[in-house]
Amino acid sequence: MSTRTGALVLAGGVLLALLQQQLLLRRPPRLESLAAAPASSGPAALDLRFSRPMQNASVARDSRLTPPLPHQWLGDGTPLRLLLGSGQTVAEPLQLEVAGQDRRGLALAPQRWRWDPRPRLLAVVALAGGEQVQLLGHDGRWRPLSPIWPAIPTLTPLGDGSALAFAATDGAGRQSVWRLPLRQHNLSGAGRDGAAAPLREPEIGRLERLSEQPLVFAHLSSNRRGDLLVQAGSQVLAGTSTTLRRRDGRRLALPQTSSGPMQLLPEGSGVVVPQLEGLSLQALPGQPPRRQLLPGSRDLLGFCPVGGRALLRRHWPDFRRSLELVEPGQAPRQLWLGSEALLAVACERGGERVWALVSAGLERPRLELLVLDRRGRLVARRSLAGWELEPGTGLQFDATRRQLLLALRRQGANSPGVADAARPALIEAGSLKLRLLDRPVRQVQWLTAG
């Protein structure tokens, strides 16, 4: 090839590169991904990623949310986060139109989405032939998710909503652990007509057995990443084992020993390990080693949505109990102290509101719901006389509809039959109005709208 020909080829390549660069510069921005995000300071959030950095002010100005609930746009360019304001109720699916300009002034083609951030109700339902995991859809219908077993003592939805895990007991009392994948459809983009496609109920995947040997017991815990912690005691092998199952399928054996059930931290960086000398916070494999110990006779009751906040029950030598709020870098703050039994708690944001179920009395205990602020002041209370909490269940808060979920049974109804089983109970967080659902259950949980 001559020098002149080589120069022409080189010049042509440079011109082609410049032309491609100009075409790329003139190309309008694209919305590359949109997904539900964990919301710690509001009822729901979405993460949006664009092909180019956006003008945040134009996205906030040109985008539309219907109904027009208070919200804010967080981030700088890309990605951005849409966060619903706290203290409001999401009563129906939302319509979102995403629009705006990138930093070159080029407009994003508006896109319409339908979004439903409300969690669904999961329950272990009592049937004549045993127990079954069922899901209450937004359409008001119950759907079976699992086979019927003699008993299902443990149910844990994964924190990202991608699956649920549970322990089932056969007729001989042997337990096994199962995982059921779920494909949720809580976000739907525009179709050919420009309107967002309708939302659908979750699709059920193939049931997967996680335990190889018959088990004596199993305790399950998950975090927002979708990891699953399995503590199990085998009938064949001596002792217990603790296994972390990552969402990507990896399995890691944890060396930690504990005196009770371990709990994964919601954000996924560590695990809370009960030990004889107190509660120990330890790092998971792959994280920098760390161990923090909170001494004393304490139980972990639950976590708050804001990272690092937890609620503890402390046992005192005079048989009183106290409720403590733990925040990063601070000593536990006492919110409540009393002689009543502290059964379950739920938390809003970083502890701005805390709901506590307490029970007083022995022969005929009196159940009561207390509402506390982050300083421990009593804001409201609701008597639940005539009811008792289903043993082994807790209290959970749905920030989207501002309601509490628990399982209540009539006081004195201790028969194992279906007729005397507990019912799902919903309590409005503001008015404390109680509503019971007509379904016999052994456990109830919220399934995150992943």
Side-chain angles (χ1 to χ4, degrees), residues 367-379:
L367 189 63
E368 189 173 31
L369 178 65
L370 307 179
V371 187
L372 309 168
D373 66 13
R374 64 180 294 107
R375 296 183 179 179
R377 295 178 298 192
L378 182 64
V379 177

Side-chain angles (χ1 to χ4, degrees), residues 335-351:
L335 301 181
W336 174 87
L337 174 67
S339 59
E340 299 94 333
L342 180 58
L343 304 179
V345 297
C347 183
E348 181 179 20
R349 292 183 287 169

Side-chain angles (χ1 to χ4, degrees), residues 29-369:
R30 304 184 314 279
L31 177 61
E32 294 187 333
S33 66
L34 185 147
S40 60
S41 58
L46 286 176
D47 280 341
L48 299 89
R49 182 174 294 276
F50 300 88
S51 61
R52 292 185 177 277
M54 303 294 289
Q55 297 180 26
N56 297 13
S58 73
V59 174
R61 180 189 66 240
D62 300 336
S63 299
R64 296 288 181 268
L65 186 64
T66 307
L69 301 178
H71 62 278
Q72 57 181 320
W73 291 89
L74 307 176
D76 183 20
T78 187
L80 297 180
R81 173 168 291 186
L82 170 63
L83 178 66
L84 298 183
S86 61
Q88 58 188 319
T89 301
V90 181
E92 58 185 335
L94 307 175
Q95 306 287 336
L96 173 64
E97 180 176 306
V98 183
Q101 297 179 350
D102 65 12
R103 292 178 177 175
R104 303 164 301 161
L106 297 180
L108 172 77
Q111 295 192 20
R112 295 180 176 86
W113 291 80
R114 183 172 283 131
W115 173 34
D116 195 344
R118 300 172 298 171
R120 292 173 172 85
L121 196 156
L122 275 172
V124 174
V125 177
L127 303 173
E131 297 178 1
Q132 182 182 54
V133 181
Q134 295 187 5
L135 175 72
L136 177 60
H138 291 321
D139 56 5
R141 293 184 296 180
W142 288 90
R143 299 173 57 199
L145 298 183
S146 77
I148 299 175
W149 274 282
I152 301 177
T154 303
L155 171 65
T156 299
L158 271 60
D160 63 350
S162 63
L164 57 93
F166 56 91
T169 303
D170 63 16
R174 298 169 299 192
Q175 289 193 21
S176 53
V177 177
W178 301 82
R179 181 182 183 274
L180 182 66
L182 297 174
R183 184 178 179 184
Q184 298 203 48
H185 302 278
N186 302 308
L187 271 172
S188 177
R192 294 182 179 179
D193 59 356
L199 303 175
R200 294 179 289 156
E201 293 297 324
E203 295 180 26
I204 304 172
R206 183 177 179 180
L207 191 61
E208 174 190 4
R209 182 167 180 160
L210 300 184
S211 57
E212 299 177 358
Q213 303 290 341
L215 303 177
V216 178
F217 73 90
H219 173 74
L220 309 175
S221 174
S222 184
N223 56 30
R224 292 173 185 162
R225 296 181 181 179
D227 301 326
L228 176 65
L229 185 73
V230 180
Q231 283 178 272
S234 172
Q235 291 185 337
V236 178
L237 304 175
T240 63
S241 64
T242 303
T243 304
L244 178 66
R245 293 177 176 266
R246 300 285 193 186
R247 185 180 177 182
D248 59 11
R250 290 181 297 156
R251 296 175 55 180
L252 301 171
L254 299 190
Q256 288 92 339
T257 58
S258 70
S259 60
M262 299 162 59
Q263 298 284 345
L264 291 175
L265 294 181
E267 60 270 22
S269 61
V271 59
V272 178
V273 182
Q275 297 182 329
L276 295 179
E277 62 268 31
L279 288 177
S280 174
L281 175 61
Q282 302 182 28
L284 290 174
Q287 301 288 334
R290 64 167 174 164
R291 182 180 183 271
Q292 297 174 329
L293 180 68
L294 183 62
S297 180
R298 290 179 168 93
D299 306 322
L300 174 64
L301 291 180
F303 296 101
C304 295
V306 173
R309 275 72 173 177
L311 293 170
L312 308 180
R313 174 175 52 202
R314 185 172 185 179
H315 303 269
W316 294 89
D318 59 0
F319 301 104
R320 292 184 301 170
R321 295 108 177 154
S322 62
L323 174 62
E324 297 177 334
L325 174 64
V326 177
E327 301 179 273
Q330 299 184 26
R333 179 189 307 165
Q334 182 173 289
L335 301 181
W336 174 87
L337 174 67
S339 59
E340 299 94 333
L342 180 58
L343 304 179
V345 297
C347 183
E348 181 179 20
R349 292 183 287 169
E352 282 72 12
R353 275 290 183 272
V354 173
W355 296 269
L357 272 175
V358 299
S359 178
L362 295 176
E363 293 185 3
R364 195 170 180 83
R366 301 182 307 276
L367 189 63
E368 189 173 31
L369 178 65

